[in-house]
Amino acid sequence: MKLIKLTAISAAVLASTAALAAEPVVVVDGNDAVVYEAEPVAVAYEAEPVAVAYEAEPANAGMMGKTAGAVRNTTGAVVGGTKTFFNTAVNPAAVSAEIGTLGYGANVAWALNDKTELQAGWAGGDVADLFGGDFDAGDVNYDVDADFSNPYLGVQLRPAGNWFTVGAGIIVPDNDLDVTANADGGFFKIDGQQYNSADVGTLQGTMEHRNKLAPYGTIGFRPNIGNNWGVFGEIGAAYMGKTNATVNAVDENSIVNYTDANGINQTTTAGDVAKKAEKELEDKDWLEWMPIVKLGATYRF
């Protein structure tokens, strides 16, 4: 009988709360009283509430996982974007060779989309013969030797999506023009006055455009003649600005005799004559608007 009662009491103790189980339990059997110690530690060992915490994910675990994934994905996107930019930069859409009024040169093009290309190029060299090799300033004819250097950066557009193109950009001109005055009938006629070329001697000088950046615009055509090859032509202009000129005589102090408009004999120096020629050159503003005419061939990748 005691064994049955003890078993029932033990079951009740195990099912009670930890606080109740911690109190001593008194069992009365007839006249006998027996005190039993409950063992709450057994409840902790048999039930494993801690396991729930370990097995279940924390409330923010999903967010942490998503956040970590987002960072990884963002990193991948940035790296992917960098690769795309790098691949675009090192893999141009086309290369071209050209000849024209800016000189002999080449350019590289990168496709931004189906209708837009970014171009970077250079053109230069001695192209004075393309302008005839000489020009007139006032009544004096000058022979020209040119040393052009025209790096440029621009955009080439195909507004209709066909062979018709419109271009615009910036040139960084560094064009040196050497000039030599040619006497006409033994005289230099400068500022309406004739000077004996034998007294003046040789007049030589340089011209340079003042603009350090020259905007340009063109229109043209770029038909393809195969899977990779094409040709192009462009016309337009670049604003080079006014010119700075320098003209010198071989002997600046050489005396020059001349007759003025009133028929009076006068004297001056070859240096003064050179200064008057210099002013006429700057007033000429030769090639202030540089014409752009170019032809070339393109290879597309």
Side-chain angles (χ1 to χ4, degrees), residues 43-286:
V43 177
Y45 285 126
E46 290 178 8
E48 299 180 357
V50 179
V52 177
Y54 286 121
E55 292 176 5
E57 291 186 355
N60 64 343
M63 290 300 295
M64 291 177 62
K66 292 179 181 178
T67 303
V71 171
R72 286 194 297 270
N73 291 340
T74 302
T75 303
V78 171
V79 172
T82 303
K83 287 182 179 178
T84 301
F85 176 79
F86 180 78
N87 288 338
T88 301
V90 300
N91 293 288
V95 293
S96 302
E98 63 183 57
I99 179 174
T101 53
L102 293 177
Y104 311 89
N107 67 64
V108 181
W110 294 268
L112 302 181
N113 53 49
D114 292 341
K115 295 183 179 181
T116 308
E117 286 184 347
L118 178 66
Q119 286 186 336
W122 178 90
D126 185 356
V127 295
D129 289 341
L130 295 175
F131 301 100
D134 67 330
F135 72 97
D136 293 332
D139 294 315
V140 180
N141 177 263
Y142 290 88
D143 288 332
V144 182
D145 287 324
D147 184 12
F148 278 15
S149 177
N150 292 297
Y152 61 88
L153 181 66
V155 176
Q156 196 72 228
L157 304 175
R158 295 176 183 264
N162 56 15
W163 53 265
F164 175 71
T165 62
V166 176
I170 292 292
I171 300 172
V172 186
D174 184 15
N175 301 324
D176 295 326
L177 302 166
D178 296 329
V179 297
T180 302
N182 296 314
D184 182 12
F187 293 91
F188 292 118
K189 190 175 182 179
I190 301 171
D191 194 23
Q193 181 64 55
Q194 285 188 331
Y195 301 96
N196 192 312
S197 60
D199 294 338
V200 175
T202 302
L203 294 177
Q204 293 180 320
T206 61
M207 297 178 65
E208 184 179 12
H209 291 103
R210 296 175 186 175
N211 282 7
K212 301 305 178 184
L213 293 175
Y216 74 87
T218 62
I219 59 173
F221 64 93
R222 287 179 174 266
N224 294 325
I225 57 175
N227 292 332
N228 300 102
W229 289 97
V231 295
F232 67 90
E234 293 179 38
I235 59 172
Y239 183 66
M240 297 290 187
K242 297 182 180 294
T243 56
N244 290 325
T246 301
V247 177
N248 298 304
V250 175
D251 184 359
E252 297 284 330
N253 298 317
S254 175
I255 300 300
V256 178
N257 297 303
Y258 69 96
T259 303
D260 65 15
N262 297 320
I264 301 174
N265 293 329
Q266 304 283 354
T267 61
T268 187
T269 64
D272 288 337
V273 175
K275 292 302 179 185
K276 292 180 179 179
E278 182 178 294
K279 185 177 184 304
E280 281 193 341
L281 277 178
E282 290 190 340
D283 291 343
K284 172 68 175 180
D285 284 334
W286 188 61

